[in-house]
Amino acid sequence: MVFSTKGSQQINFIQFVHMRETRKAVLILEDGTQFEGFSFGATKPCAGEVVFNTAMTAYPESLTDPSYLGQILVSTYPIIGNYGVPPRTMRDGMNDFLESDKIHPQAIICQDYSWDYSHWNAASSLAEWLVEENVVGVYGIDTRALTKLLREKGSMLGKIIVEGSGEIEFYDPNAENLVAQASCDEVIEYGKGNAKRVVLVDCGVKNNIIRCLVNRGAHVIRVPWDYDFTTIDYDGLFIANGPGNPDFAEATVENIKKALEGDKPICGICMGNQLLSKAAGARVYKLKYGHRSHNQPVMEVGTTRCFITSQNHGFAVDTTTLSPEWEPLFINMNDGTNEGIRHKTKPFFSTQFHPEACGGPTDTEFVFDKFMDSINK
Amino acid sequence: MTKKYNKVLILGSGALKIGEAGEFDYSGSQALKALKEEGITTVLINPNIATVQTSEEFADKIYFLPVTPQYVERVIDKERPDGILLSFGGQTALNCGVELYQSGVLEKYNVEVLGTQVDVIMNTEDRELFNNKLDEINVKTIKSEAVESLDAAVVAAEKVGYPVIVRAAYALGGLGSGFCDNEQELRALVEKALSFAPQVLVEKSLKGWKEIEYEVVRDKYNNCITVCNMENFDPLGIHTGESIVVAPSQTLSNDDYHYLRELAIKIIRHLGIVGECNIQYAFDPKSMDYRVIEVNARLSRSSALASKATGYPLAFVAAKLGLGYGLFDLKNSVTKVTSAFFEPALDYIVCKIPRWDLGKFHGVKREIGSSMKSVGEVMSIGRTFEEVIQKGLRMIGQGKHGFIENQPLRIDDLDKALREPTDRRIFAIETAFRRGYSVDQIHELTKIDKWFLHKLENLYNTAVALEQCESINEIPSELLLLAKQQGFSDFQIAKAVLKTDMDSGDDANLDVRRRRKELGITPVVKQIDTLGAEYPAMTNYLYMTYNGSSHDISYENDKRSIVVLGSGAYRIGSSVEFDWCSVNALLTVKKEGYRSVMINYNPETVSTDYDMCDRLYFDELTFERVMDILDLEQPHGTILSTGGQIPNNLAMRLDAQGVNILGTSARSIDNAEDRHKFSAMLDELGIDQPAWRELTSLDDIHDFVAEVGYPVLVRPSYVLSGAAMNICSNDEELERFLQLAANVSKTHPVVVSSFIQNAKEIEWDCVAQNGEIKLYAISEHIEFAGVHSGDATIQFPPQKLYVETIRRIKKISSKIAKALNISGPFNIQYLAKNNDIKVIECNLRASRSFPFVSKVLKINFIDLATKVMLGIPVEKPSKSAFDLDYVGIKASQFSFSRLQGADPVLGVDMSSTGEVGCIGDSSSEALLKSMLSVGQRVPQKGILLSTGTAKMKADMLDSAIKLHKKGYQLYATGGTHQYLNDNGVPAIRAYWPSEPDRTPQCVDLLHDHLVDLVVNIPKNLTSTELTNGYKIRRAAVDLNVPLITNARLAAAFIDAFCDLTIDDMEIKSWDEY
């Protein structure tokens, strides 16, 4: 039978039924499970570690978060693309609205894609952006069923084959030094007129960490992950978030160990928490399926203070292995895992969660205040 | 928790009314559960006898008393609670609590307010205090600047920012108001406005802004969470209770979402709320500018919705926080292992749609706006917006099949229908697509965000694709799947394909069902787990969707499931009473060792609480969806008789599919529902009924009337004009009404029956087993027949029936029960004049009065009926109504004040939105309590009487004498004045609006507060009577003066308050009767 749309053009059937240009796409997991859907991004195969995120907003922020490097991001919230993508404009060497200069995950998977977006600050659709950056997008997949599978079996490797775009092998990003891939290659400075010099070790930093520091009067010196920052003069040390297995960042840990001998304030976020913990003697282990969401509850140890936090990590610190000068600072109220540590006497502390948010709740931005306060003391 | 409380008082919200409905039964029930878990003795004051919360399983002491300071103080005096919860009974409880606080009663009895404190509540209730409070933390609120000169207006406009809205102060009807985009426009408008008003208000125009809500929780340790946010489909200007609402928000970016979230937390901390509150924002669609519209420092309609939308039990948690717990002390009640301090992650979308019943009222406007008119709501759950909007539009139960493929609307001015919102605007959008309007055009007219409109356009496009298929078998499977994923029902698909060729909707429906099952297109069951599948859920809160590939739960197939069908959206004629019935059926099913399964979609109910049953399907009650669920559940049986008319209507179709309907058979249900079959059966049994005939032409109608005489009751079949049943007393009325009620024809027959005047109406509520009566209750209407049984005031046990009448009713009922072989609940309505008994109606299901008679008699009719339906042998309870030494009276709550323009007169069609039931040692005591509970007040000054026909005037004479003796000043209109004068009762003559030259005018008496009770009884429906009476009745409603429009009820109420004072009444809890 012949179909015609309002414009009376005859087109490919799938495209007609879905009223859009799309192809079939299939997600294949390493255990052989397959999920069929439709493509809305680049027409190419891709592979990586399949992880889920339960956040209900912030796909532009998540996609540009370097911590997702090498991963296939599954959104448990079913409808994605609603508000398009903000303009990719730059200011002071940083993207205005995004967390880095490009998309880091291999692909994004959702149940339902909104081809038509609506937002005053949107410059394009998500599909257009994915195609532009050559990243795969798939909709029409039961992301809840997929998430339950990942919850039960743990994170898995997966690959996506878009119809007519060839084959690909599975790829395990955790076997590589992703920090090195996500980090900058040279020293970059931000907020140059500001008084306090903060070294930011870039393990795959999100822009909002830089914004939060600069806005609080920091002159941020962003250095590559393995840069020996002890050679430069600074007032405080900040260790950023980043992707993958922290065991690859031994070079960073060694530099941190040197800094721990001094008294200058140190703060870390996410990967930064794990590397600081390693420098403090602790062991880090892989979680079954990680924390990737905007609703993780944490409690400040020894208080009645609780916070809703944004998280994105697959590894956690075993605080029983911390050396005795250190103690847990925050714990996760759902599963009791570590959410931050602090030194008992020196101004060193870190959080496993993301106080810089973007996306997610902004409850813990005070972490930056505390860090800057300890510098200003 | 720092302090131990022994006894806590909870105030309920009273009768269901527009703006305050079933959601407070839900929140109160949750609070009671939370307290019970702590071992605290609970005392509940709520006259709403049909609620679930007023059951012995929920509260320790229940008082069916008005929630007014006077009564509450007396209960406090008696019970001496150490704490009180004010935020679980809506505005009624909150207002009462504020008064008790201000008058020092709470302090006097040393009752601690738990949770949010009264001064905090007052800061949120008073507009000025509220604005000042938020100014302190630089949060923007909606403010207007009052100016008295042109220059000042220009300055004010600069300050608030263009566009602005200008309103002339003290001007009626919006005279001189308008929008201005710039100074030039402002100058022109203000100049004009100042020419007839001394003052002009300049306000920022928020036209077209988004309306966004957050539900925020705070504990006493200052920990905060936002449990849910919601976005209104309709832009600002339409009350959130009148808006289609989705959760979570759909068009907010991460920055938008968290900007408003952060503000919400800042506000709740600054205000000092402990527990739960709701914050409403206006949000600019073109920037991140916002205004706070209001904060509700209590559980609200939105919080009930948010609880159902997320699975987060807000009311339960709020009650615990009120006791002093921290959020970190509490567990997530779905996962049971994770913390209650978290924010739910949804992996689905929900859509709330209001249910209006505007067609039920004479004179009311269909426009919707800043005040609420809807009587109920539905919530649909799915995984695409298309799916939830279509599900939801079916759920509201107004004859729609979804967004599209409905009976076309007749819209003359489409642009107007889009621009000016009514209860039907969404269907005007469908019409607009059909007429070729673009999304941009529709957006311009409606200001609805384009995201929503694009989604609706997807539905239109799919419908167009379906319409190009020539037969059901020819629909490509991809298209069929897409249609199902977009929420198309089998019927919609059939209609799109077959168009007018569809002989039988049922058959076409089944044909699509067959076809998609062949293709393997069936829905999957998903669980609501609060954490987006991150943790396993321990509860079975479920919905069905086509956007998924596997079920979340596995089925036992052990034939131990009993599926109970719920009652759907609250509407006039079906509300909380059926929720009580459904919940009690579930409880008995569970008690008897079966797996209890509920299907319902009303977010205001207790039956949709996931801890009330073993499996809750929050989904449609359509034939299609119920079959989908039964296919999966493979239950032992299905109960249709406790959820009102919606499940009852499915009986025949489910039976045809071999569904095991528990209790009375589908054939019997049909024999009672089908007017012709039922009538033939009554004739056969020798049971009398009012003469009636189904007629298809005007001549036939006149012939029939000539036979039976006036008055007659005329019932048009479903017509678009919305005109309903009416009584006609003469040719003129008959013809006028039939004109109004549209074309009488072969396809639209009219049922005309003879109407018996001055007859008593009697309710028979009963449970039978295998045709034998096991338990019954006879109750008596105070009003004569002619007032719909849902509006009537009902007493049980009956006080003024002949023993002979009762005996005859029992006998007839036994015959009917036997003839229909009834097993389960049923209700018959009788007319009795002298000892002549006629059957008006018979429903083989639980009726509206089941909770009332169950609670007054203290025997649970539904428990017994459910046992019967499960096939358990039951004994006849030994107690009967004759043993009761007290009386229960059920009175109706009207919401006319919310329905601008509606004529508050009662007739054969129901117009009340809720009811109460109070118990007293005498009929007068019970009546007085129940009348005070529905908003009547004992007058202090004057009473305006216009008492209808000669017979009614005579009926009212004794009451008038009593009033006079009590010292009330009586005012009366012409005929009534004459009659009172002739009988020696002094009264001042008052003049009708049609006699404008004479004074005093009735309406002026109301304005001047000289009258604080109006008794206005229309003689008949002639137009002057209605216009004159209408103006007075409407003035009474608008000026908040109690009004009674029925002579028998007026007489009973007057007797009650003349004979008794509130202080005379003993304060007794339910168990003390």
Side-chain angles (χ1 to χ4, degrees):
Chain A
M1 85 201 281
V2 176
F3 282 93
S4 59
T5 52
K6 277 189 288 185
S8 287
Q9 296 159 292
Q10 286 177 29
I11 44 173
N12 162 306
F13 183 73
I14 292 285
Q15 294 187 4
F16 169 74
V17 166
H18 289 255
M19 326 268 167
R20 310 291 166 169
E21 267 189 56
T22 181
R23 294 161 181 258
K24 282 190 174 171
V26 59
L27 167 73
I28 304 164
L29 297 179
E30 58 178 316
D31 73 348
T33 315
Q34 299 202 356
F35 289 88
E36 282 176 29
F38 300 94
S39 158
F40 68 99
T43 304
K44 67 162 200 184
C46 70
E49 181 190 17
V50 186
V51 297
F52 67 87
N53 183 324
T54 67
M56 299 184 288
T57 58
Y59 54 85
E61 287 84 351
S62 292
L63 286 171
T64 51
D65 178 349
S67 297
Y68 282 109
L69 189 64
Q71 295 176 327
I72 291 174
L73 176 60
V74 177
S75 170
T76 64
Y77 186 71
I79 313 169
I80 295 296
N82 302 11
Y83 52 89
V85 181
R88 272 76 81 191
T89 49
M90 306 279 286
R91 197 175 0 176
D92 303 330
M94 240 190 303
N95 218 298
D96 281 326
F97 302 101
L98 299 170
E99 288 310 301
S100 69
D101 302 344
K102 61 174 188 180
I103 298 178
H104 293 277
Q106 301 283 343
I108 181 165
I109 295 179
C110 60
Q111 172 72 55
D112 182 36
Y113 173 64
S114 289
W115 292 96
D116 301 291
Y117 61 90
S118 168
H119 198 273
W120 61 273
N121 195 34
S124 70
S125 73
L126 174 58
E128 285 159 357
W129 188 38
L130 290 174
V131 171
E132 202 177 288
E133 300 232 353
N134 200 27
V135 174
V136 173
V138 183
Y139 73 95
I141 282 184
D142 185 342
T143 45
R144 180 169 169 84
L146 175 55
T147 300
K148 280 178 65 190
L149 198 68
L150 298 174
R151 176 184 87 208
E152 281 151 20
K153 298 197 173 175
S155 298
M156 270 193 264
L157 300 185
K159 58 182 180 181
I160 296 170
I161 310 296
V162 179
E163 194 178 54
S165 72
E167 283 294 321
I168 195 170
E169 290 305 308
F170 286 111
Y171 155 69
D172 183 2
N174 292 311
E176 285 181 25
N177 186 349
L178 295 179
V179 168
Q181 292 178 32
S183 179
C184 56
D185 302 326
E186 55 192 24
V187 176
I188 311 168
E189 294 180 62
Y190 306 87
K192 269 187 185 161
N194 287 340
K196 300 293 174 180
R197 292 168 62 85
V198 172
V199 165
L200 173 69
V201 182
D202 180 9
C203 303
V205 71
K206 280 165 69 185
N207 284 340
N208 208 42
I209 293 180
I210 303 171
R211 293 184 201 112
C212 284
L213 291 168
V214 171
N215 291 344
R216 284 169 176 77
H219 167 188
V220 173
I221 304 148
R222 176 180 176 181
V223 302
W225 69 286
D226 54 354
Y227 189 89
D228 185 0
F229 49 80
T230 57
T231 59
I232 51 177
D233 174 37
Y234 65 84
D235 300 303
L237 172 63
F238 209 99
I239 311 151
N241 65 298
N245 187 338
D247 288 342
F248 283 104
E250 266 315 311
T252 320
V253 174
E254 289 311 312
N255 287 329
I256 297 170
K257 277 183 182 163
K258 284 188 252 173
L260 290 180
E261 286 162 18
D263 294 315
K264 286 183 182 155
I266 303 176
C267 184
I269 290 175
C270 196
M271 176 64 84
N273 179 52
Q274 294 164 11
L275 299 180
L276 185 64
S277 297
K278 281 173 74 92
R283 195 179 67 86
V284 173
Y285 61 98
K286 191 170 193 314
L287 292 165
K288 191 175 177 190
Y289 48 88
H291 294 163
R292 290 177 190 87
S293 64
H294 291 172
N295 65 346
Q296 293 286 339
V298 304
M299 193 173 208
E300 192 175 336
V301 176
T303 71
T304 55
R305 301 217 299 158
C306 307
F307 309 96
I308 299 291
T309 66
S310 173
Q311 302 199 5
N312 174 16
H313 59 100
F315 292 81
V317 175
D318 177 358
T319 49
T320 61
T321 56
L322 277 172
S323 65
E325 313 85 80
W326 292 81
E327 62 188 4
L329 176 56
F330 296 101
I331 55 155
N332 188 295
M333 294 163 73
N334 281 344
D335 62 7
T337 56
N338 176 254
E339 292 289 356
I341 59 163
R342 74 171 155 207
H343 193 276
K344 287 177 182 167
T345 54
K346 294 183 180 183
F348 308 154
F349 71 104
S350 58
T351 67
Q352 185 59 53
F353 54 84
H354 287 266
E356 81 284 5
C358 280
T362 51
D363 298 10
T364 49
E365 231 186 88
F366 64 84
V367 165
F368 293 97
D369 296 326
K370 274 182 85 169
F371 173 66
M372 292 307 292
D373 286 350
S374 60
I375 290 178
N376 293 327
K377 246 180 216 163
Chain B
M1 204 167 107
T2 43
K3 187 183 161 188
K4 179 88 188 122
Y5 299 89
N6 296 313
K7 194 190 259 188
V8 170
L9 175 65
I10 295 194
L11 303 185
S13 65
L16 268 59
K17 37 197 150 332
I18 291 178
E20 203 173 44
E23 63 270 18
F24 299 112
D25 188 20
Y26 161 71
S27 28
S29 300
Q30 290 250 320
L32 289 163
K33 279 184 208 170
L35 297 179
K36 200 167 182 164
E37 207 178 75
E38 299 294 325
I40 294 168
T41 304
T42 51
V43 181
L44 171 67
I45 306 179
N46 190 355
N48 193 336
I49 202 164
T51 51
V52 177
Q53 59 179 253
T54 55
S55 304
E56 54 197 359
E57 296 89 354
F58 282 83
D60 296 309
K61 285 271 179 187
I62 296 162
Y63 288 89
F64 296 118
L65 290 174
V67 183
T68 57
Q70 212 172 1
Y71 279 99
V72 175
E73 179 175 357
R74 293 196 58 196
V75 173
I76 290 174
D77 185 29
K78 184 179 164 206
E79 292 283 350
R80 302 289 171 153
D82 41 16
I84 186 168
L85 287 172
L86 304 176
S87 47
F88 298 85
Q91 203 62 34
T92 300
L94 205 65
N95 290 348
C96 182
V98 170
E99 278 187 57
L100 290 166
Y101 170 83
Q102 285 175 326
S103 64
V105 168
L106 298 180
E107 199 185 0
K108 177 176 161 196
Y109 293 95
N110 202 15
V111 186
E112 195 181 320
V113 174
L114 307 183
T116 304
Q117 295 302 298
V118 176
D119 55 333
V120 174
I121 294 169
M122 283 154 59
N123 280 338
T124 61
E125 293 284 306
D126 180 300
R127 194 79 228 165
E128 204 181 323
L129 288 177
F130 179 70
N131 286 350
N132 292 342
K133 201 75 194 160
L134 294 200
D135 281 348
E136 291 169 12
I137 49 168
N138 297 316
V139 169
K140 295 194 234 179
T141 49
I142 297 175
K143 282 180 212 163
S144 48
E145 302 260 334
V147 294
E148 284 165 19
S149 73
L150 191 54
D151 290 340
V154 172
V155 173
E158 287 297 331
K159 196 170 147 197
V160 298
Y162 289 100
V164 296
I165 179 165
V166 169
R167 289 181 225 272
Y170 316 110
L172 281 175
L175 198 64
S177 300
F179 293 95
C180 315
D181 282 327
N182 50 48
E183 191 182 322
Q184 197 188 353
E185 285 176 28
L186 179 86
R187 282 183 179 277
L189 192 67
V190 171
E191 199 163 19
K192 209 163 68 193
L194 284 172
S195 68
F196 56 83
Q199 196 184 59
V200 168
L201 303 173
V202 179
E203 206 176 286
K204 172 121 187 129
S205 162
L206 305 177
K207 198 163 81 173
W209 282 33
K210 299 179 189 192
E211 194 169 341
I212 309 284
E213 292 179 67
Y214 281 72
E215 297 301 318
V216 201
V217 177
R218 176 174 174 268
D219 67 16
K220 69 168 191 182
Y221 302 98
N222 210 15
N223 293 313
C224 298
I225 53 171
T226 63
V227 165
C228 184
N229 88 339
M230 295 181 256
E231 175 171 6
N232 288 8
F233 168 90
D234 301 290
L236 199 72
I238 300 173
H239 189 286
T240 180
E242 300 284 275
S243 296
I244 295 174
V245 175
V246 295
S249 60
Q250 296 300 315
T251 69
L252 298 194
S253 68
N254 176 70
D255 283 356
D256 299 335
Y257 184 106
H258 288 284
Y259 180 55
L260 297 181
R261 178 187 174 277
E262 192 176 315
L263 269 173
I265 290 175
K266 184 172 164 186
I267 293 165
I268 190 176
R269 283 189 169 139
H270 185 67
L271 291 171
I273 282 155
V274 174
E276 200 271 352
C277 80
N278 157 275
I279 298 185
Q280 291 168 27
Y281 294 105
F283 196 53
D284 186 356
K286 295 191 186 90
S287 76
M288 282 174 70
D289 199 9
Y290 75 93
R291 295 291 180 281
V292 175
I293 303 170
E294 64 174 19
V295 169
N296 279 306
R298 56 169 171 82
L299 277 297
S300 62
R301 165 172 301 271
S302 296
S303 68
L305 180 68
S307 294
K308 303 289 180 179
T310 61
Y312 193 100
L314 278 166
F316 182 86
V317 169
K320 293 275 185 176
L321 300 184
L323 295 172
Y325 281 106
L327 277 162
F328 49 81
D329 290 321
L330 309 172
K331 284 279 173 238
N332 177 331
S333 55
V334 171
T335 65
K336 318 271 188 202
V337 294
T338 57
S339 174
F341 179 80
F342 82 109
E343 299 186 350
L346 282 61
D347 58 4
Y348 49 86
I349 171 175
V350 308
C351 178
K352 178 214 85 174
I353 305 181
R355 153 88 192 198
W356 289 276
D357 259 333
L358 299 177
K360 294 258 183 195
F361 302 96
H362 299 285
V364 74
K365 294 206 166 60
R366 297 203 90 102
E367 277 81 35
I368 56 173
S370 55
S371 71
M372 209 170 140
K373 291 177 175 175
S374 60
V375 291
E377 63 190 26
V378 303
M379 183 179 92
S380 57
I381 311 175
R383 284 166 60 82
T384 65
F385 176 74
E386 293 90 333
E387 185 174 45
V388 291
I389 192 79
Q390 294 233 80
K391 268 183 162 186
L393 289 171
R394 281 193 289 279
M395 287 171 172
I396 53 171
Q398 284 173 322
K400 303 295 182 193
H401 304 292
F403 173 68
I404 203 158
E405 303 299 346
N406 294 309
Q407 202 74 268
L409 277 186
R410 250 195 61 197
I411 299 175
D412 299 326
D413 185 346
L414 184 55
D415 284 12
K416 182 168 179 250
L418 292 169
R419 206 183 313 110
E420 294 169 13
T422 65
D423 56 338
R424 299 172 182 155
R425 177 158 78 171
I426 186 148
F427 302 108
I429 295 175
E430 191 259 349
T431 309
F433 283 125
R434 292 269 181 209
R435 293 193 196 167
Y437 281 50
S438 67
V439 162
D440 285 344
Q441 282 172 296
I442 299 171
H443 169 73
E444 266 318 299
L445 291 161
T446 60
K447 299 289 174 205
I448 293 169
D449 194 285
K450 286 185 202 169
W451 185 84
F452 294 109
L453 297 175
H454 278 298
K455 295 285 180 188
L456 295 178
E457 192 185 31
N458 290 345
L459 294 172
Y460 166 70
N461 286 335
T462 302
V464 169
L466 286 167
E467 284 161 12
Q468 292 175 48
C469 299
E470 273 154 24
S471 75
I472 285 165
N473 283 336
E474 216 182 272
I475 309 169
S477 72
E478 289 90 342
L479 181 59
L480 190 55
L481 176 63
L482 179 76
K484 295 308 285 183
Q485 287 177 329
Q486 291 180 338
F488 279 77
S489 68
D490 290 347
F491 182 89
Q492 277 177 298
I493 293 169
K495 179 140 188 280
V497 175
L498 302 175
K499 295 154 201 102
T500 51
D501 293 346
M502 202 160 56
D503 298 330
S504 149
D506 286 2
D507 291 348
N509 220 334
L510 287 169
D511 212 19
V512 177
R513 185 175 188 82
R514 173 199 50 77
R515 176 67 185 151
R516 62 174 177 74
K517 278 183 154 182
E518 276 170 17
L519 295 170
I521 300 172
T522 52
V524 296
V525 181
K526 294 284 180 195
Q527 219 168 3
I528 288 181
D529 66 12
T530 70
L531 285 166
E534 192 184 350
Y535 284 84
M538 296 298 141
T539 50
N540 278 312
Y541 180 7
L542 311 168
Y543 66 98
M544 310 278 284
T545 177
Y546 281 89
N547 294 287
S549 50
S550 66
H551 297 306
D552 271 355
I553 59 168
S554 48
Y555 290 93
E556 300 84 352
N557 290 321
D558 56 1
K559 292 274 172 195
R560 299 296 294 167
S561 294
I562 301 287
V563 177
V564 179
L565 304 192
S567 58
Y570 287 172
R571 60 196 69 193
I572 289 176
S574 170
S575 73
V576 67
E577 58 278 358
F578 292 112
D579 199 50
W580 180 86
C581 292
S582 303
V583 165
N584 278 279
L586 288 171
L587 294 175
T588 303
V589 163
K590 210 166 174 169
K591 227 165 30 203
E592 296 300 332
Y594 289 93
R595 183 180 305 110
S596 55
V597 180
M598 182 80 218
I599 311 178
N600 198 7
Y601 50 77
N602 182 341
E604 304 174 71
T605 58
V606 179
S607 65
T608 53
D609 238 3
Y610 50 79
D611 59 356
M612 294 311 298
C613 58
D614 294 311
R615 278 206 276 266
L616 165 67
Y617 291 86
F618 205 106
D619 219 300
E620 294 176 65
L621 286 163
T622 53
F623 166 77
E624 176 182 343
R625 187 43 41 92
V626 170
M627 280 308 296
D628 291 337
I629 294 169
L630 296 180
D631 280 351
L632 292 167
E633 281 285 346
Q634 294 293 324
H636 168 70
T638 303
I639 292 177
L640 307 183
S641 56
T642 53
Q645 202 54 33
I646 292 176
N648 210 42
N649 286 345
L650 293 175
M652 287 303 276
R653 296 170 69 197
L654 293 178
D655 185 60
Q657 299 302 308
V659 170
N660 179 25
I661 295 167
L662 296 184
T664 313
S665 73
R667 179 174 297 275
S668 290
I669 294 173
D670 187 50
N671 283 340
E673 293 278 320
D674 183 303
R675 199 184 297 279
H676 297 277
K677 291 179 188 166
F678 184 63
S679 183
M681 186 192 81
L682 292 183
D683 290 346
E684 215 168 282
L685 296 173
I687 297 168
D688 203 8
Q689 56 186 311
W692 69 279
R693 209 161 296 162
E694 192 172 88
L695 302 164
T696 52
S697 78
L698 253 170
D699 288 346
D700 291 347
I701 294 172
H702 282 296
D703 289 350
F704 177 70
V705 171
E707 211 177 290
V708 300
Y710 281 111
V712 289
L713 181 65
V714 187
R715 230 184 288 235
S717 67
Y718 180 75
V719 280
L720 289 174
S721 73
M725 285 194 284
N726 220 332
I727 295 168
C728 301
S729 315
N730 51 49
D731 284 349
E732 187 213 331
E733 275 178 36
L734 180 68
E735 270 162 38
R736 196 155 47 86
F737 178 67
L738 286 175
Q739 258 169 15
L740 197 78
N743 28 1
V744 183
S745 69
K746 282 261 188 294
T747 43
H748 296 291
V750 168
V751 173
V752 185
S753 43
S754 93
F755 179 76
I756 296 148
Q757 284 176 293
N758 302 325
K760 287 197 169 189
E761 198 168 328
I762 294 154
E763 300 278 333
W764 166 270
D765 289 316
C766 184
V767 179
Q769 186 162 36
N770 303 321
E772 188 199 340
I773 285 167
K774 293 287 182 185
L775 174 65
Y776 69 91
I778 294 174
S779 6
E780 168 192 16
H781 291 203
I782 286 179
E783 296 86 350
F784 278 140
V787 172
H788 189 283
S789 68
D791 287 347
T793 314
I794 294 176
Q795 52 185 338
F796 170 74
Q799 302 295 303
K800 287 177 178 168
L801 288 189
Y802 300 119
V803 179
E804 174 71 11
T805 300
I806 293 178
R807 207 164 46 81
R808 286 190 188 180
I809 283 175
K810 267 180 74 177
K811 226 165 146 181
I812 297 171
S813 304
S814 295
K815 276 193 198 169
I816 293 175
K818 198 163 173 210
L820 293 169
N821 194 25
I822 297 172
S823 272
F826 73 105
N827 159 276
I828 304 176
Q829 283 161 27
Y830 289 100
L831 282 183
K833 198 167 180 181
N834 305 318
N835 273 320
D836 214 5
I837 315 291
K838 289 182 166 61
V839 171
I840 329 177
E841 209 180 296
C842 172
N843 292 303
L844 302 195
R845 54 165 174 80
S847 77
R848 195 175 300 115
S849 35
F850 266 55
F852 170 65
V853 295
S854 294
K855 285 180 183 176
V856 174
L857 189 57
K858 298 189 193 175
I859 301 176
N860 190 325
F861 277 57
I862 293 296
D863 177 54
L864 194 83
T866 306
K867 283 180 181 150
V868 165
M869 290 186 279
L870 293 173
I872 299 164
V874 297
E875 291 297 311
K876 284 188 189 178
S878 53
K879 188 163 132 194
S880 91
F882 298 108
D883 302 330
L884 304 186
D885 46 15
Y886 53 86
V887 187
I889 287 192
K890 180 163 98 71
S892 298
Q893 170 79 48
F894 300 92
S895 298
F896 292 118
S897 61
R898 293 274 184 169
L899 298 162
Q900 223 182 10
D903 188 352
V905 73
L906 305 189
V908 282
D909 222 1
M910 185 166 162
S911 56
S912 64
T913 54
E915 61 187 33
V916 299
C918 297
I919 301 174
D921 289 322
S922 68
S923 194
S924 286
E925 188 187 322
L927 181 76
L928 192 52
K929 285 178 184 168
S930 58
M931 294 296 277
L932 296 176
S933 295
V934 293
Q936 296 286 348
R937 293 186 295 274
V938 174
Q940 306 297 325
K941 293 178 248 169
I943 292 145
L944 174 62
L945 300 169
S946 35
T947 50
T949 61
K951 162 121 182 55
M952 294 168 183
K953 285 187 172 70
D955 284 349
M956 287 285 300
L957 183 60
D958 284 349
S959 304
I961 293 168
K962 266 193 183 171
L963 288 173
H964 169 63
K965 283 190 181 151
K966 270 269 173 186
Y968 287 106
Q969 176 66 58
L970 302 185
Y971 300 87
T973 49
T976 310
H977 180 256
Q978 181 69 46
Y979 184 82
L980 292 176
N981 229 6
D982 293 349
N983 287 281
V985 183
I988 296 173
R989 167 122 195 228
Y991 292 91
W992 292 107
S994 61
E995 309 161 304
D997 303 336
R998 314 288 296 269
T999 54
Q1001 280 282 313
C1002 291
V1003 176
D1004 292 341
L1005 293 173
L1006 301 183
H1007 271 288
D1008 299 342
H1009 306 293
L1010 293 169
V1011 161
D1012 46 9
L1013 173 66
V1014 176
V1015 178
N1016 178 294
I1017 297 149
K1019 268 194 209 93
N1020 52 47
L1021 300 178
T1022 59
S1023 51
T1024 50
E1025 182 69 25
L1026 274 175
T1027 323
N1028 259 327
Y1030 169 79
K1031 285 183 180 151
I1032 293 172
R1033 290 190 291 273
R1034 199 56 231 179
V1037 167
D1038 291 335
L1039 296 165
N1040 193 21
V1041 178
L1043 167 74
I1044 299 181
T1045 60
N1046 181 281
R1048 301 214 356 132
L1049 180 61
F1053 179 53
I1054 290 167
D1055 283 357
F1057 73 71
C1058 287
D1059 295 347
L1060 272 174
T1061 68
I1062 293 177
D1063 295 332
D1064 295 337
M1065 290 184 230
E1066 220 188 314
I1067 298 296
K1068 282 160 97 173
S1069 62
W1070 182 23
D1071 59 317
E1072 288 170 316
Y1073 284 101

